[in-house]
């Protein structure tokens, strides 16, 4: 191909990228010094910039940057915990300290929070972007943001703490690799979150069920006057949380670590605590802890699976989701299940960057051709055409009953709402197959008609519509689920047979 033609096609590509809202990092910050200059000069400067050589160079450097990015491992971190523990504030502080948000924006948020007489909420505004969230000081949707340390690229998922929004929290946690459980050390606040009915307990159980294998417990608000970096308060919280974390299935020695922070003041987040402030803490800061967590990644060579959490129109149909297994490339032919729509991958984006391929754990926006946006629902799965995901209306699962409403009895005919990856679907228990002894994990011989709280049972579950799931043993993230009734999580389970 002729060099000129080559350059022209590259230019077209990059022009298309500009239209798609992909911002070149250098273009993001307007140069204040040049603002007042003659607009004619600006036009001239632009036309000079459009010369082919500059473009090729620019594209090459973007490509290098992309390759550099792909070398870093990528982790999804979900922030969970009781309402008001400081999840959004800590998330906002992380973005500020890692240079994702500039001082001017922070000043704007400070003023806005002050106008609402909510001075201490300004950091949370970075994560809570809609007006309802800012007025109430409650996260409703799962906020998303990105930051990097020297070794890792992180996507923050800021989950709602309020019990009315647990379904949103589930969709956030089901995309996460590691969890940061934020606990308030303020007098009375830890107790409220931890007691029966507090969200700290439900969030921990959900995180474990949804595949969040590693947990970082950050004890926040340590700078509060009622706490004042007290070692006694920190130890008290740790000693109460450890038995509960074990009971929820976490191996506390291997998979859980604790650390004290102040989200509002940004202490012990990017740099270690000053000894003059807190003499007893000589452990790592939050960034170091996040960096040191080892998480097994999905298999890039296994069949491609990406549950769709959202979709929209933008020069075609764009779907969003997290790659659970396999690899996706530009130009791939894939299937959208369960509708079996054949689609072609037109473009792949990580954050704002266009990439040519992506593997497990990445949060993507994928532009597709061959399907209309209205034909896709949240819970559908973008999957390999040669080896598509299973579609079912019934499956066998091993369930653990957590807490039934008013000690209701769990038996055939029990109805609940099933949450599995990004699917939310009404379901019914059609048959209890056998009860399993929690101690020996072996089936109990006698026939089972009903079970109560704490029981483990093998049962057949039926859903109203066709859903895409896999056996837990084949694809853990697509085979684990929760059952909820009237806003409470009543059981957690894994799919054993389809």
């Amino acid at each position: 191909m002729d060099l000129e033609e080559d350059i022209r096609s590259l230019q077209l590509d990059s022009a298309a990228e500009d239209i798609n809202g992909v911002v070149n990092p250098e273009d993001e910050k307007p140069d204040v010094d040049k603002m007042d200059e003659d607009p004619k000069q600006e036009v001239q400067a632009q036309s000079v910039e459009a010369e082919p050589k500059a473009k090729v160079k620019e594209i090459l450097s973007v490509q290098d940057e992309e390759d550099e990015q792909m070398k870093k491992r990528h982790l999804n971190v979900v922030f969970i915990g009781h309402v008001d523990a400081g999840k959004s504030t800590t998330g906002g502080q992380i973005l500020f300290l890692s240079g994702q948000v500039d001082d001017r924006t922070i000043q704007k948020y400070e003023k806005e929070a002050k106008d609402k007489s909510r001075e201490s909420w300004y950091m949370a505004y970075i994560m809570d972007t809609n007006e309802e969230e800012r007025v109430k000081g409650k996260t409703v949707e799962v906020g998303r943001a990105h930051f990097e340390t020297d070794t890792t690229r992180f996507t923050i998922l800021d989950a709602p703490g309020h019990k009315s929004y647990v379904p949103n929290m589930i969709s956030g946690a089901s995309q996460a690799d590691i969890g940061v459980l934020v606990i308030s050390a303020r007098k009375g606040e830890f107790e409220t979150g931890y007691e029966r009915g507090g969200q700290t307990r439900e969030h921990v159980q959900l995180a474990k069920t949804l595949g969040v294998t590693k947990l970082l417990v950050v004890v926040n608000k340590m700078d509060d006057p009622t706490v004042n970096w007290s070692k006694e308060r920190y130890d008290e919280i740790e000693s109460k949380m450890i038995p509960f974390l074990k009971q929820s299935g976490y191996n506390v020695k291997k998979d859980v670590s604790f650390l004290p922070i102040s989200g509002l003041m940004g202490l012990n987040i990017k740099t270690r605590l000053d000894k003059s402030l807190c003499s007893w803490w000589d452990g790592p800061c939050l960034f170091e802890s996040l960096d040191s967590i080892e998480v097994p990644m999905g298999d890039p060579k296994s069949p491609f699976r990406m549950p769709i959490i959202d979709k929209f129109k933008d020069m075609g149909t764009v779907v969003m989701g997290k790659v659970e297994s396999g690899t996706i490339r530009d130009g791939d032919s894939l299937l959208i299940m369960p509708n079996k729509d054949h689609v072609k991958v037109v473009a792949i984006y990580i954050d704002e960057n266009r990439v040519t391929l992506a593997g497990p754990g990445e949060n993507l926006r994928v532009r597709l051709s061959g399907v209309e946006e209205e034909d896709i629902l949240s819970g559908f799965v973008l999957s390999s055409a040669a080896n598509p995901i299973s579609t079912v209306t019934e499956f066998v699962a091993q369930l653990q009953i957590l807490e039934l409403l008013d000690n209701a009895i769990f038996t055939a005919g029990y109805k609940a709402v099933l949450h599995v990856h990004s699917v939310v679907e009404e379901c019914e228990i059609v048959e209890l197959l056998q009860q399993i002894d929690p101690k020996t994990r072996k089936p109990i011989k006698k026939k089972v008609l009903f079970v109560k709280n704490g029981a483990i049972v093998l049962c057949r579950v039926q859903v109203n519509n066709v859903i895409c799931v896999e056996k837990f043993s084949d694809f853990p993230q697509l085979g684990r689920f929760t059952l909820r009734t009237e806003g409470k999580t009543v059981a957690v389970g894994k799919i054993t047979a389809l």
Side-chain angles (χ1 to χ4, degrees):
M1 198 172 164
D2 179 18
L3 181 65
E4 253 180 74
E5 229 174 296
D6 212 329
I7 288 165
R8 203 170 300 123
S9 74
L10 279 173
Q11 273 184 286
L12 285 172
D13 272 1
S14 66
E17 283 194 19
D18 288 347
I19 296 164
N20 299 343
V22 177
V23 184
N24 184 16
E26 285 159 358
D27 299 345
E28 268 184 332
K29 293 192 183 108
D31 193 337
V32 185
D33 304 335
K34 289 181 186 163
M35 287 284 201
D36 306 323
E37 283 180 13
D38 181 6
K40 277 184 204 155
Q41 283 183 337
E42 211 172 303
V43 173
Q44 280 175 344
Q46 278 174 358
S47 63
V48 171
E49 242 179 54
E51 278 186 302
K53 277 183 189 163
K55 267 295 178 205
V56 174
K57 202 167 178 182
E58 191 181 297
I59 287 161
L60 284 174
S61 70
V62 169
Q63 191 62 48
D64 293 344
E65 210 172 281
E66 216 172 85
D67 295 344
E68 194 52 48
Q69 264 202 323
M70 298 307 283
K71 278 179 203 156
K72 280 190 180 182
R73 70 173 184 159
H74 174 256
L75 289 180
N76 297 290
V77 188
V78 66
F79 278 70
I80 57 175
H82 192 67
V83 64
D84 273 353
K87 298 180 291 298
S88 300
T89 297
T90 305
Q93 190 66 259
I94 286 172
L95 294 179
F96 175 57
L97 291 171
S98 60
Q100 303 298 312
V101 184
D102 59 16
D103 286 329
R104 201 178 318 162
T105 311
I106 293 284
Q107 281 160 8
K108 187 183 101 188
Y109 290 154
E110 261 187 287
K111 183 181 180 307
E112 198 177 319
K114 212 172 190 153
D115 294 345
K116 292 189 171 107
S117 308
R118 295 280 188 262
E119 282 90 337
S120 66
W121 288 2
Y122 71 96
M123 272 292 172
Y125 284 9
I126 298 172
M127 293 302 293
D128 292 342
T129 48
N130 77 29
E131 197 49 35
E132 181 192 357
E133 294 180 321
R134 290 182 175 185
V135 170
K136 292 183 180 170
K138 286 190 186 105
T139 303
V140 177
E141 294 161 1
V142 176
R144 258 166 208 284
H146 312 276
F147 76 99
E148 292 188 25
T149 59
D150 294 339
T151 60
T152 313
R153 289 182 298 121
F154 290 99
T155 298
I156 297 181
L157 303 158
D158 175 30
H162 198 275
K163 60 173 171 283
S164 319
Y165 306 120
V166 167
N168 293 1
M169 178 264 164
I170 289 175
S171 86
S174 67
Q175 302 161 51
D177 305 301
I178 50 183
V180 173
L181 173 65
V182 183
I183 288 178
S184 167
R186 184 180 284 159
K187 202 172 170 56
E189 281 190 8
F190 162 66
E191 288 71 12
T192 313
Y194 179 67
E195 280 157 16
R196 285 176 84 89
Q199 290 324 105
T200 305
R201 286 169 173 267
E202 186 176 17
H203 277 198
V204 168
Q205 286 167 332
L206 283 172
K208 182 65 185 155
T209 314
L210 295 162
V212 178
T213 50
K214 306 279 182 179
L215 205 57
L216 206 52
V217 183
V218 301
V219 182
N220 188 22
K221 306 193 185 181
M222 288 294 290
D223 59 321
D224 190 81
T226 64
V227 186
N228 206 4
W229 296 96
S230 148
K231 184 177 190 314
E232 287 70 34
R233 179 62 167 163
Y234 176 82
D235 290 345
E236 177 196 353
I237 290 171
E238 191 173 359
S239 65
K240 281 186 179 163
M241 283 305 297
I242 285 174
F244 176 65
L245 290 165
K246 281 182 179 161
Q247 187 193 325
S248 302
Y250 279 100
N251 177 335
V252 178
K253 280 197 175 71
K254 265 177 50 196
D255 300 331
V256 180
S257 43
F258 285 79
L259 72 154
I261 66 160
S262 162
L264 185 62
M265 306 310 292
L267 299 169
N268 208 30
I269 292 182
K270 189 180 181 184
T271 51
R272 291 191 174 202
L273 269 177
D274 196 322
K275 278 277 182 272
S276 62
L277 191 68
C278 179
S279 56
W280 52 269
W281 180 256
D282 58 359
C285 63
L286 182 58
F287 278 24
E288 289 173 309
S289 299
L290 285 170
D291 259 346
S292 64
I293 290 179
E294 290 298 325
V295 177
M297 278 292 129
D299 181 3
K301 292 190 171 64
S302 62
F304 184 72
R305 302 278 185 270
M306 185 181 105
I308 294 167
I309 54 166
D310 207 355
K311 43 83 196 250
F312 55 90
K313 269 196 171 93
D314 177 16
M315 294 173 65
T317 301
V318 179
V319 295
M320 289 169 67
K322 176 191 167 196
V323 180
E324 292 299 351
S325 79
T327 304
I328 183 171
R329 289 178 177 78
D330 255 355
D332 273 357
S333 293
L334 299 170
L335 278 182
I336 288 187
M337 299 294 283
N339 285 5
K340 300 191 173 67
D341 287 323
H342 285 268
V343 293
K344 191 166 185 214
V345 176
V346 181
I348 307 165
Y349 296 94
I350 295 178
D351 308 343
E352 295 303 318
N353 305 318
R354 186 166 174 177
V355 295
T356 49
L357 87 163
E362 293 289 0
N363 283 304
L364 306 180
R365 293 199 322 268
V366 183
R367 181 171 288 118
L368 302 169
S369 64
V371 68
E372 289 305 315
E373 179 247 354
E374 53 267 22
D375 296 334
I376 300 172
L377 295 174
S378 182
F380 282 15
V381 177
L382 191 57
S383 103
S384 145
N387 189 337
I389 189 168
S390 316
T391 54
V392 297
T393 52
E394 198 177 281
F395 56 84
V396 176
Q398 181 181 311
L399 265 184
Q400 175 162 15
I401 314 296
L402 297 175
E403 198 176 341
L404 298 165
L405 294 179
D406 304 325
N407 279 340
I409 286 173
F410 190 86
T411 179
Y414 188 93
K415 289 186 166 67
V417 178
L418 168 84
H419 292 260
V420 53
H421 61 84
S422 53
V423 170
V424 181
E425 200 52 69
E426 288 193 2
C427 72
E428 183 179 338
I429 308 300
V430 279
E431 186 186 359
L432 300 189
L433 301 169
Q434 53 189 190
Q435 194 169 348
I436 292 163
D437 185 325
K439 287 196 176 75
T440 61
R441 297 273 160 180
K442 292 206 166 75
I444 297 169
K445 288 222 166 61
K446 69 173 199 238
K447 188 156 173 53
V448 57
L449 294 173
F450 67 89
V451 291
K452 291 187 170 179
N453 287 349
I456 298 175
V457 63
L458 205 62
C459 55
R460 273 193 317 123
V461 183
Q462 202 172 56
V463 285
N464 299 343
N465 297 306
V466 178
I467 58 168
C468 300
V469 290
E470 295 280 14
K471 282 187 349 199
F472 179 82
S473 53
D474 297 340
F475 294 87
Q477 277 309 85
L478 305 172
R480 55 171 114 238
F481 63 92
T482 58
L483 293 184
R484 304 190 83 239
T485 305
E486 291 177 30
K488 271 191 73 172
T489 302
V490 290
V492 297
K494 53 188 183 186
I495 297 169
T496 54
L498 299 172

